[in-house]
Amino acid sequence: MKGETNCWNWQGWKYISWVITVILLIAEGLAFFKVWELKMLPMKYFLPLLAVTLIINIGIIIMMFPRAERAEKSAGKWGRVIAYILSLLLIVGSLFGGSVVAKLDETFDVITRKPAVSAHVGVYVLANDSANAIEDTAMYTFAMTDSYDADNGQSALLDIQNHLGSEISVQKFDTVFAMVDALYAGDIQAMILNVAYTDVFDDVEHYHDFSERTKLIYQYEVTAKVTESTEMPTAPTEPAKVEKRPPFIVYLSGSDTRSKVLATSRSDVNILAVVHPENKQILLVNTPRDYFIPNPAGGGALDKLTHCGIYGIDCSVEALSDLYGYPIDYNAQINFTGFETLIDAVGGVNIISDVDDGVYLRQGDNHMDGKLALKFARDRFKYFDGDHARGRHQMQVIKAVVEKMSTGAIVLNYSDILDSLQGMFITDMPSDLIAGLIKDQLSTMTKWTVLTYAVAGAGGSEIPYSMPGLYAYVMYPNEGMVAYASELIGRVLDGDILTQEDISAG
């Protein structure tokens, strides 16, 4: 009878051991498959991790399935207990690791997914108007212009008429500013205008209070269709191995918008990041937002650089490519409000300042959290050189983040970093390229060298293409500095290792 009881007890433990073993192998298999599929962990880490896991599994299985004569002895029972504990830890670890990889994959999908760029066309009335919704404007006369964003304006007009169920009275004007004047004078009661264009009013004294004198009562979103590939999908393959990863240029565009949906807007941050992966060097070139350069959307008519963003990020890319004479490979749109979260996620950044503002910034080394770093990157009014100072500070913050993440902070704070990236960063860089760069960094943990150069110019007053009939502050490019920036860009792309002395020479 005793033998039968022992036999039954052994068979019970055996079934439990089999169940735990199957769960363990499935959890580990899925985790390793996800890591392999992401192609981000270097083989020098992946293979040893796989080998160690296999060795531990063999030991666990031996302890869970001892020989029959040892199964019910004290050593056998304690061996099974230890095996179950180790199995539980490995299962939890595998599930956690799989969730990390899944989150990485999700983040890559969000930031590298080709977005549908949208334009928001609004209906504006005077702030004291009784109308608070589009339904209140059926008897109004609407102002429109064909001199800017005519197609989107026409789409919005059709939407408004469909919404109201009848045609509306429309009066056409030659310029946006003529529309605003007519609204202020009471000649028309509402105006249809791309919301992004209202930022231009900030640069014009007579219209800078537009947001206070008017209110937005209706908004129509015009979304550009994403061109999908007509090629048949193929199974994912291992990227071709190359001896060297080629250098590239990324246009970093930034604004204060909080929207995660790309919308046409002015770009207040215009930085070219020239990246040489093999030399671990990044050159950041800042171009002031008021640079008076040809606007591709206007057929080469001179305009402020920041206005190019109103016509889409491709317009800004083309304008800067023409300015410096190098094709720009990729672009990335940065939400600098979300950048605050990223800085907190990496544990703050260290900024060396050459001024003491008596408030939050002291001369020398400053450790900043996200809130202070964002304020530092946006502030320009307390500095004598205004936008030039803001451009320098933005590059300092970007440099500090790159340096912090290259020291391993990206591994220690992966979750918060990934969350912040989904809120502030969208790029057309291929996911394979980003994964490859991360894989290289994890493999070498080499610190990147980040150098910064900012072009400047002289201020003046001109009529920009996007502000017909009105004079506005512009900055005439310093041709010598632009030429030197082009030289620096070329040297980085050619593999030269720049020094601070090279930067200062310009």
Side-chain angles (χ1 to χ4, degrees), residues 52-323:
V52 170
T53 303
L54 289 175
I55 292 172
I56 294 175
N57 284 348
I58 293 172
I60 288 174
I61 292 172
I62 290 174
M63 286 190 290
M64 280 200 293
F65 298 96
R67 293 190 303 272
E69 62 271 16
R70 297 184 66 243
E72 292 307 317
K73 292 182 179 179
S74 178
K77 291 180 179 179
W78 279 109
R80 286 198 297 273
V81 171
I82 295 173
Y84 294 154
I85 293 174
L86 290 176
S87 297
L88 179 61
L89 293 175
L90 285 176
I91 290 171
V92 172
S94 297
L95 294 175
F96 175 75
S99 68
V100 171
V101 176
K103 189 165 188 176
L104 277 170
D105 194 31
E106 176 191 353
T107 301
F108 273 19
D109 183 56
V110 171
I111 68 175
T112 63
R113 182 189 305 136
K114 189 174 183 180
V117 180
S118 62
H120 298 273
V121 183
V123 173
Y124 292 87
V125 298
L126 291 176
N128 59 1
D129 196 294
S130 60
N132 292 306
I134 195 64
E135 290 80 7
D136 302 327
T137 63
M139 304 303 295
Y140 282 17
T141 297
F142 286 71
M144 290 184 62
T145 179
D146 291 332
S147 64
Y148 165 73
D149 201 34
D151 291 340
N152 287 335
Q154 191 62 36
S155 297
L157 174 61
L158 293 176
D159 175 74
I160 292 168
Q161 292 183 150
N162 289 334
H163 198 85
L164 295 175
S166 63
E167 292 189 1
I168 59 176
S169 175
V170 177
Q171 185 174 341
K172 294 293 185 70
F173 290 84
D174 292 334
T175 69
V176 170
F177 302 101
M179 286 199 305
V180 178
D181 290 337
L183 181 65
Y184 288 171
D187 297 332
I188 50 98
Q189 292 76 49
M191 57 181 283
I192 300 173
L193 179 65
N194 190 312
V195 175
Y197 200 92
T198 60
D199 291 337
V200 175
F201 297 145
D202 294 338
D203 297 329
V204 185
E205 183 176 355
H206 181 63
Y207 303 99
H208 73 276
D209 59 350
F210 177 81
S211 60
E212 285 77 35
R213 297 184 62 178
T214 65
K215 60 183 177 181
L216 179 66
I217 63 170
Y218 186 71
Q219 196 166 177
Y220 174 67
E221 182 177 352
V222 184
T223 303
K225 293 182 178 179
V226 179
T227 304
E228 299 291 347
S229 174
T230 58
E231 297 180 3
M232 293 296 292
T234 57
T237 58
E238 181 75 25
K241 294 183 178 180
V242 293
E243 291 186 2
K244 292 185 178 181
R245 203 175 294 280
F248 56 89
I249 302 176
V250 183
Y251 167 52
L252 304 178
S253 170
S255 68
D256 289 335
T257 177
R258 288 178 178 270
S259 174
K260 294 183 183 181
V261 178
L262 290 183
T264 53
S265 63
R266 291 192 310 174
S267 180
D268 292 328
V269 178
N270 299 278
I271 295 174
L272 294 184
V274 189
V275 183
H276 199 293
E278 298 301 317
N279 293 344
K280 302 295 183 183
Q281 185 168 76
I282 298 175
L283 171 66
L284 300 177
V285 178
N286 180 69
T287 309
R289 62 189 293 276
D290 292 320
Y291 242 37
F292 200 47
I293 61 176
N295 185 336
L302 295 178
D303 202 351
K304 291 188 178 188
L305 171 60
T306 186
H307 291 167
C308 292
I310 298 174
Y311 307 94
I313 194 168
D314 290 340
C315 182
S316 300
V317 167
E318 186 176 347
L320 288 170
S321 180
D322 291 342
L323 178 66

Side-chain angles (χ1 to χ4, degrees), residues 481-492:
M481 297 187 77
V482 171
Y484 192 68
S486 298
E487 179 185 333
L488 293 175
I489 292 171
R491 290 177 61 182
V492 173

Side-chain angles (χ1 to χ4, degrees), residues 428-449:
D428 64 353
M429 292 175 64
S431 57
D432 281 351
L433 174 59
I434 300 176
L437 292 172
I438 295 176
K439 185 176 182 178
D440 292 346
Q441 185 62 32
L442 292 174
S443 180
T444 64
M445 294 306 291
T446 304
K447 186 176 181 179
W448 285 69
T449 300

